[in-house]
Amino acid sequence: MANRWSFKEDYIVCKFAYENRSRCIFSEEIHPLMLELKETGFSSRSETAVSRRVREYQYLFCGDKSPNVTKQVLSTYQVFMDRFNNPSLYSGIKSFICETFKPDVGKSEETDNSETFLNSFGEQNNLTHLVHTIDYNSTFPMVLQKYVALKDIKKHNVMCRKIGMKPDTFSAILRGKYKEVKKENVLRICIGLQLKVNEAEELLNSAGFILSNSIMTDVVIKAFLWNRNFSVVAINAELVENGELMLFHNYEIEC
């Protein structure tokens, strides 16, 4: 059984289908897409499977729907069209990122106690997967509990489905049961709680982290918080556009 399609893989195919939405794609014309997928770390798909995926997106771009279209294809298509149909919103996000991202500033802003992270394609990223050791008297659970109450989050499982986090994991984090908390999980929670930038900074600071202007993932999250856009699929798309790893990996996340 083939591996499930990742959002990043789907997004690349979706862009290709959009650029070729009005014409039939022949076998030899798939080669540039296959090469792009391979260069990005995806080399397990056959040309037949990729061609079929392209056609699914082409149907959608033409106003039709393939009977076999998946939820993930639909969500990828929707976020792609949302970016296309809302240029003012996404130009604002782009402008914020361009103005804020300073790759050569603050390289040592956070303590370098990161663990090397390898995703399923062997890509390394030790910037967004920092781990901070906390004790049971840390203020982090207290600050988190404050914002859960402030945002009136009564059903944790609903929020967790939106950010692709297991409810049991969130519950343990909330009650301070973990000695370590990952920055990526704190960032996900910031989106799930729909925090403002200053609120997200307080929560991150309480866990020993910051929103760094020298880390692209942090800047993307800040841009979306600033623009009050909490779509995890849109955030994933922006991270992919900027060559970063996705923050939300669960395939069943709700748009």
Side-chain angles (χ1 to χ4, degrees), residues 12-212:
I12 293 170
V13 174
C14 182
K15 287 182 68 176
F16 178 87
Y18 176 77
E19 292 164 358
N20 298 276
R21 60 192 179 280
S22 60
R23 63 192 189 88
C24 181
I25 301 298
F26 297 100
S27 176
E28 61 272 15
E29 295 177 294
I30 278 292
H31 292 166
L33 175 59
M34 298 297 295
L35 181 60
E36 182 179 0
L37 288 170
K38 184 176 181 180
E39 289 176 345
T40 315
F42 305 99
S43 57
S44 62
R45 307 288 173 196
S46 67
E47 287 192 13
T48 301
V50 174
S51 297
R52 188 182 304 121
R53 202 72 163 189
V54 170
R55 283 197 297 274
E56 288 184 12
Y57 283 110
Q58 285 182 316
Y59 281 130
L60 292 171
F61 286 126
C62 292
D64 300 319
K65 184 188 291 188
S66 165
N68 299 316
V69 69
T70 65
K71 180 180 178 181
Q72 184 167 316
V73 166
L74 278 173
S75 65
T76 306
Y77 165 79
Q78 287 165 359
V79 74
F80 186 90
M81 291 307 297
D82 184 50
R83 292 172 65 88
F84 183 80
N85 292 324
N86 294 280
S88 60
L89 171 61
Y90 286 99
S91 64
I93 288 174
K94 284 287 188 186
S95 296
F96 184 99
I97 291 171
C98 290
E99 293 170 5
T100 305
F101 184 50
K102 310 295 181 185
D104 299 322
V105 177
K107 289 295 187 181
S108 59
E109 285 179 323
E110 295 189 75
T111 304
D112 187 19
N113 57 351
S114 59
E115 57 178 20
T116 299
F117 171 77
L118 293 177
N119 72 359
S120 57
F121 306 105
E123 296 174 290
Q124 288 192 10
N125 189 336
N126 63 355
L127 293 177
T128 62
H129 295 73
L130 297 169
V131 176
H132 178 63
T133 302
I134 58 176
D135 58 41
Y136 290 108
N137 297 316
S138 169
T139 59
F140 171 66
M142 296 168 59
V143 175
L144 178 55
Q145 290 163 17
K146 177 184 78 172
Y147 281 119
V148 168
L150 186 64
K151 303 297 180 178
D152 198 26
I153 305 295
K154 293 185 173 64
K155 296 183 178 180
H156 298 166
N157 60 323
V158 175
M159 184 196 76
C160 288
R161 279 201 302 272
K162 291 181 178 179
I163 61 175
M165 180 178 290
K166 293 180 180 179
D168 289 346
T169 299
F170 177 75
S171 179
I173 293 174
L174 184 64
R175 290 179 287 125
K177 295 299 182 180
Y178 289 133
K179 290 186 178 181
E180 293 181 340
V181 58
K182 292 182 178 181
K183 184 176 180 180
E184 62 179 279
N185 282 337
V186 183
L187 291 174
R188 289 178 183 136
I189 290 169
C190 288
I191 295 298
L193 293 176
Q194 300 189 0
L195 300 183
K196 298 177 182 177
V197 173
N198 64 312
E199 294 171 337
E201 289 175 333
E202 181 187 5
L203 184 61
L204 282 156
N205 290 345
S206 72
F209 304 118
I210 64 169
L211 277 175
S212 172

